[in-house]
Amino acid sequence: MKFPKPHTLQQISQLISCKFVGDENFEVLGMNEIHVVEPGDIVFVDHPKYYDKALNSAATIILINKEVDCPEGKALLISDDPFRDFNKLTNHFKPFTPSSSAISDTAKIGKNTIIQPNCFIGNNVTIGDNCVIHSNVSIYDDTIIGNNVTIHAGCVLGASAFYYKNRPEGFDQLKSGGRVIIKDNVDIGAMCSIDRGVTGDTTIGEGSKLDNQIQVGHDTVIGKKCLIASQTGIAGCCIIEDEVTLWGQVGTTSGITIGKKANVLGQTGVTKSIAGGKSYFGTPIEESREKLKDLAYVKKIPEILKQLKEK
């Protein structure tokens, strides 16, 4: 998430009332999670396990809960609670703005696009040409939808990320200030949920087709011409490369990559990154030929035990 204009390190430190290390005029351009950071971004870290990863990332401003040596060319924001202060920055730069109408005055809707009754279209939403948005679809703020897109009834685009910190008093949610981007020629079936990015974008690539009742987690990027069947659940921060097929009830863990033209059979649990161009099945996931061989061997166990008893 980029800020509307550059800020200085001192200005950011004043917004969250924390100390800083570095030039007070050090330029701050935005804030992002570690997997999408760029120079000029703030990244937060609040666990020693991830200090080195954050300090050595592309981010040039690290919001951290310990005074450490500052890497050359970077700056630090020293906070007793980086999670809390990252939320403060999201609330400041991307505050929730209530809507007063079903279709926001700031929404841009293209030529020949049809919006069926009972839809909600939030602030700063952009919808391209020749789209059909069926009834009871909710499109949250800042979503971008391309041309020739069909979204069936009951879908929700842009809900908050499922991202929480466990505190003694209960779960604390990391605020979502990112977007959903739907490219051209995408079809989305009924009752799908596509969460917005925390600071970046959740993206559905051109020509991809989603069946009914699919969940796509925050910051996930789905490539071009993917085919995803019903009841699939894709966790946050995944990369689904071009022309991947995910059959019914596939589930993934977060942060994995599914390679180009991979074919994942129904009810598979994708617990790790997998290479493209192959077929996969089962939990834990394996290439489908190997998994089916294993299952065939399992079926032979009673016969083998019987033979052993007879000897």
Side-chain angles (χ1 to χ4, degrees):
M1 180 171 68
K2 299 302 180 187
F3 301 152
K5 62 179 182 180
H7 283 62
T8 66
L9 184 66
Q10 185 177 50
Q11 287 172 327
I12 297 297
S13 72
Q14 290 171 345
L15 286 174
I16 57 177
S17 302
C18 75
K19 298 189 297 182
F20 65 87
V21 176
D23 183 350
E24 65 180 24
N25 294 313
F26 194 94
E27 191 171 58
V28 185
L29 304 178
M31 53 189 286
N32 269 309
E33 290 184 278
I34 196 161
H35 63 285
V36 289
V37 287
E38 299 174 343
D41 285 344
I42 301 168
V43 69
F44 86 91
V45 61
D46 58 4
H47 193 288
K49 181 178 177 180
Y50 302 109
Y51 285 166
D52 286 344
K53 186 175 181 180
L55 291 164
N56 295 316
S57 71
T60 44
I61 306 94
I62 296 87
L63 177 59
I64 190 169
N65 58 346
K66 183 180 180 181
E67 294 194 30
V68 296
D69 292 335
C70 183
E72 186 176 353
K74 299 191 178 188
L76 304 178
L77 293 161
I78 310 298
S79 165
D80 64 325
D81 192 336
F83 189 100
R84 176 202 65 209
D85 288 339
F86 201 75
N87 273 345
K88 283 184 181 179
L89 292 173
T90 299
N91 284 332
H92 179 83
F93 289 105
K94 206 69 174 177
F96 173 70
T97 305
S99 294
S100 57
S101 59
I103 299 178
S104 171
D105 293 337
T106 59
K108 297 177 182 178
I109 299 173
K111 296 178 182 178
N112 302 316
T113 285
I114 298 168
I115 309 294
Q116 294 283 71
N118 299 322
C119 288
F120 169 75
I121 299 175
N123 300 303
N124 304 312
V125 168
T126 299
I127 302 175
D129 301 337
N130 304 309
C131 297
V132 179
I133 313 298
H134 287 278
S135 60
N136 301 310
V137 170
S138 293
I139 303 174
Y140 287 30
D141 294 0
D142 304 310
T143 297
I144 298 174
I145 296 171
N147 302 318
N148 306 307
V149 171
T150 299
I151 302 176
H152 285 279
C155 289
V156 177
L157 277 62
S160 295
F162 188 72
Y163 193 138
Y164 292 86
K165 185 178 182 67
N166 191 2
R167 298 189 187 275
E169 63 274 18
F171 292 106
D172 190 6
Q173 186 175 40
L174 189 65
K175 304 295 184 183
S176 296
R179 304 180 298 179
V180 169
I181 297 179
I182 309 296
K183 301 288 188 176
D184 296 349
N185 304 309
V186 169
D187 293 341
I188 300 175
M191 302 295 289
C192 292
S193 300
I194 302 173
D195 293 345
R196 70 194 305 160
V198 171
T199 53
D201 299 327
T202 303
T203 303
I204 311 295
E206 183 176 353
S208 288
K209 310 298 181 184
L210 278 63
D211 196 0
N212 303 325
Q213 296 180 318
I214 288 168
Q215 158 71 18
V216 180
H218 69 91
D219 295 284
T220 281
V221 177
I222 295 175
K224 298 177 182 178
K225 294 179 66 177
C226 292
L227 195 65
I228 303 176
S230 180
Q231 298 182 12
T232 290
I234 302 172
C237 303
C238 292
I239 297 174
I240 313 296
E241 294 184 349
D242 297 347
E243 300 181 58
V244 166
T245 300
L246 304 179
W247 292 110
Q249 296 186 335
V250 166
T252 82
T253 191
S254 62
I256 56 95
T257 296
I258 298 179
K260 183 176 180 179
K261 294 187 177 181
N263 181 42
V264 182
L265 302 183
Q267 295 191 327
T268 294
V270 187
T271 53
K272 59 183 179 181
S273 294
I274 55 175
K278 299 178 181 179
S279 180
Y280 297 90
F281 176 60
T283 305
I285 189 169
E286 294 181 53
E287 286 191 49
S288 56
R289 286 183 181 180
E290 295 303 316
K291 194 72 172 182
L292 293 171
K293 284 180 184 177
D294 290 346
L295 292 174
Y297 293 144
V298 168
K299 288 183 178 180
K300 292 182 178 180
I301 289 174
E303 181 184 342
I304 294 169
L305 290 174
K306 183 180 179 182
Q307 291 173 353
L308 290 172
K309 286 180 179 179
E310 290 174 350
K311 286 184 178 180

